[in-house]
Amino acid sequence: TQLLEQSPQFLSIQEGENLTVYCNSSSVFSSLQWYRQEPGEGPVLLVTVVTGGEVKKLKRLTFQFGDARKDSSLHITAAQPGDTGLYLCAGGTSYGKLTFGQGTILTVHP
Amino acid sequence: DSGVTQTPKHLITATGQRVTLRCSPRSGDLSVYWYQQSLDQGLQFLIQYYNGEERAKGNILERFSAQQFPDLHSELNLSSLELGDSALYFCASSEVGRDYEQYFGPGTRLTVT
């Protein structure tokens, strides 16, 4: 069974701070996705990374896929209250079956 | 708005009953995925359909079944419901060749009493 472990589970920071969320596995994934989910809504796809060592930037968000394709990180610069939510990493295997991490609940205080 | 629609938004039913959840994928997407999200298990893959055919199966109970119709909408049937089946059920879809980029619907919150 492939597992993805996210850390930290909870993160509470002040507006303007930087943060990093980690996603680790002992298994190799074909791709790694990051989603953001707000209460009562479906996850929203932020990014897909497929190549080992790949780095993608989306405004203040930077995503990295590990060289061995077993881990990933999400870094947010100068966090804002609008960044508050549940962040989920998901590893892709055969036929698009996604294995999700348990998630990181981020709270950014004004 | 992801373009994936799900109905109903909320469903409250009793143990032992059967319910049907409905999903319409984004226009043009042939793949539909069903996921269950609960507090203790997180988001778990249940089953995938591609153009009407079952393509992959995850941790789906035998009491649960799904199908995808010619118009590509999908239904998830849950029977002999138990208290532990209370959860959020999400449908997602993806375009051909981009299976990993899945777009999720708003979900159906099922409460079994």
Side-chain angles (χ1 to χ4, degrees), chain B residues 42-87:
Chain B
L43 202 55
Q44 299 274 321
F45 168 76
L46 295 178
I47 198 164
Q48 179 202 3
Y49 278 81
Y50 176 81
N51 202 22
E53 300 289 326
E54 181 185 307
R55 200 174 197 186
K57 229 171 184 177
N59 302 320
I60 188 166
L61 299 171
E62 285 191 13
R63 300 183 285 109
F64 296 0
S65 65
Q67 54 184 327
Q68 186 179 27
F69 295 87
D71 67 352
L72 301 177
H73 91 271
S74 178
E75 292 181 356
L76 179 66
N77 301 295
L78 315 176
S79 62
S80 303
L81 285 167
E82 301 174 1
L83 295 178
D85 297 328
S86 296

Side-chain angles (χ1 to χ4, degrees), chain A residues 31 35 37 48 93 95-96, chain B residues 37 48 55 90 100-102:
Chain A
S31 67
Y35 286 84
Q37 185 179 18
T48 297
T93 55
Y95 295 121
Chain B
Q37 187 175 37
Q48 179 202 3
R55 200 174 197 186
F90 289 104
Y100 305 141
E101 292 191 346
Q102 296 176 22

Side-chain angles (χ1 to χ4, degrees), chain A residues 30-31 33 35 37 39-45 47-48 50 56 86 88 92-102, chain B residues 9 33 35 37 39-45 48 55-59 88 90 99-107 109:
Chain A
S30 304
S31 67
Q33 282 67 238
Y35 286 84
Q37 185 179 18
E41 298 181 11
V44 175
L45 179 64
V47 77
T48 297
V50 297
K56 278 192 176 178
L86 172 66
L88 295 158
T93 55
S94 58
Y95 295 121
K97 174 187 171 183
L98 295 181
T99 298
F100 280 85
Q102 287 296 94
Chain B
K9 181 76 172 169
Y33 312 80
Y35 290 85
Q37 187 175 37
L39 282 175
D40 55 341
Q41 294 290 323
L43 202 55
Q44 299 274 321
F45 168 76
Q48 179 202 3
R55 200 174 197 186
K57 229 171 184 177
N59 302 320
L88 272 165
F90 289 104
D99 283 355
Y100 305 141
E101 292 191 346
Q102 296 176 22
Y103 294 86
F104 282 73
R109 181 175 291 280

Side-chain angles (χ1 to χ4, degrees), chain A residues 1-50:
Chain A
T1 304
Q2 293 177 304
L3 293 173
L4 273 172
E5 292 187 6
Q6 273 187 248
S7 61
Q9 204 174 344
F10 301 94
L11 203 46
S12 180
I13 62 173
Q14 293 296 125
E15 183 176 0
E17 292 184 12
N18 301 333
L19 66 112
T20 302
V21 178
Y22 299 93
C23 180
N24 295 294
S25 175
S26 58
S27 304
V28 175
F29 289 97
S30 304
S31 67
L32 206 297
Q33 282 67 238
W34 284 92
Y35 286 84
R36 179 167 163 264
Q37 185 179 18
E38 299 201 29
E41 298 181 11
V44 175
L45 179 64
L46 297 175
V47 77
T48 297
V49 284
V50 297

